[in-house]
Amino acid sequence: MKKIFVGLILSLILIFFLLINIRPRPEALDKYLYPVEENAVAPGLIVQFLGNTNILLSDGETHILTDAFFSRPSAWKVLFGKVSPNKKRIQSALDQAGIKKLDAIIPVHSHFDHAMDAPMVADMTQAQLLGSSSTMEIAKGYGLNKNQMKIPPLNQAIPIGDFQITFIKSR
């Protein structure tokens, strides 16, 4: 009876790991990129989903990316290993999306699955990294140039190209 119970628990753990690892990988990004179309509500605005929580906003001149998380380490590595940005995966995702230069990267919060790759992507694309003090600590740990790091003021619109971005604190 004890062996059956242990076997059942191990089987459930294995199924859990398999299920949480079934998700689009960055190397398959081209399957998930939606065609770029003119926005009828805001002519000239392009909004493109790049997987995970990465959204590219562009007016053709200014390019703003949320999160910039492309490494996507496995659940096993997250739970039992050490995670770090994967430059090869990041470059592949940027290439597939046609991104060479960004004006700003805005991680929506500082959990690793939103902010871990942001400093490297900012470095690779000459982008300004805008975020909280904890996001800036991640950027400092990476060694991002201080001129590319900024904690934006709250509740005040800041211009990024022709965009006006307002940062609002949430719980």
Side-chain angles (χ1 to χ4, degrees):
M1 185 69 157
K2 190 175 183 180
K3 287 182 183 181
I4 292 173
F5 180 73
V6 170
L8 179 62
I9 295 296
L10 290 175
S11 297
L12 289 173
I13 290 170
L14 177 62
I15 290 169
F16 170 76
F17 278 107
L18 288 173
L19 288 176
I20 62 175
N21 277 300
I22 299 172
R23 60 185 190 250
R25 304 301 297 173
E27 54 271 13
L29 185 61
D30 57 338
K31 294 178 187 173
Y32 301 96
L33 288 176
Y34 294 101
V36 176
E37 296 178 12
E38 189 76 13
N39 189 318
V41 176
L45 176 65
I46 297 168
V47 179
Q48 192 172 22
F49 174 68
L50 301 179
N52 202 45
T53 56
N54 304 313
I55 298 173
L56 179 65
L57 302 169
S58 176
D59 61 5
E61 297 290 324
T62 303
H63 311 288
I64 301 169
L65 182 62
T66 62
D67 291 351
F69 178 66
F70 299 107
S71 290
R72 306 282 299 278
S74 68
W76 182 265
K77 193 167 189 177
V78 170
L79 293 173
F80 302 109
K82 187 176 180 181
V83 296
S84 62
N86 182 320
K87 189 170 185 174
K88 184 177 176 183
R89 279 193 179 162
I90 291 169
Q91 188 62 61
S92 175
L94 293 174
D95 289 346
Q96 288 181 60
I99 296 172
K100 295 188 182 346
K101 186 173 185 323
L102 291 167
D103 295 283
I105 296 171
I106 304 171
V108 297
H109 62 264
S110 298
H111 292 166
F112 84 93
D113 60 333
H114 293 264
M116 179 178 81
D117 293 350
M120 182 176 281
V121 176
D123 192 25
M124 295 167 73
T125 62
Q126 301 88 45
Q128 179 92 53
L129 181 61
L130 302 167
S132 66
S133 59
S134 55
T135 296
M136 294 307 116
E137 290 300 318
I138 295 168
K140 286 177 193 173
Y142 168 79
L144 186 64
N145 184 318
K146 289 183 181 185
N147 295 330
Q148 289 178 263
M149 302 175 354
K150 182 176 182 180
I151 299 173
L154 296 177
N155 305 314
Q156 176 184 331
I158 61 167
I160 303 173
D162 286 337
F163 290 92
Q164 293 288 321
I165 306 293
T166 302
F167 290 79
I168 302 168
K169 185 176 182 175
S170 66
R171 288 194 221 199

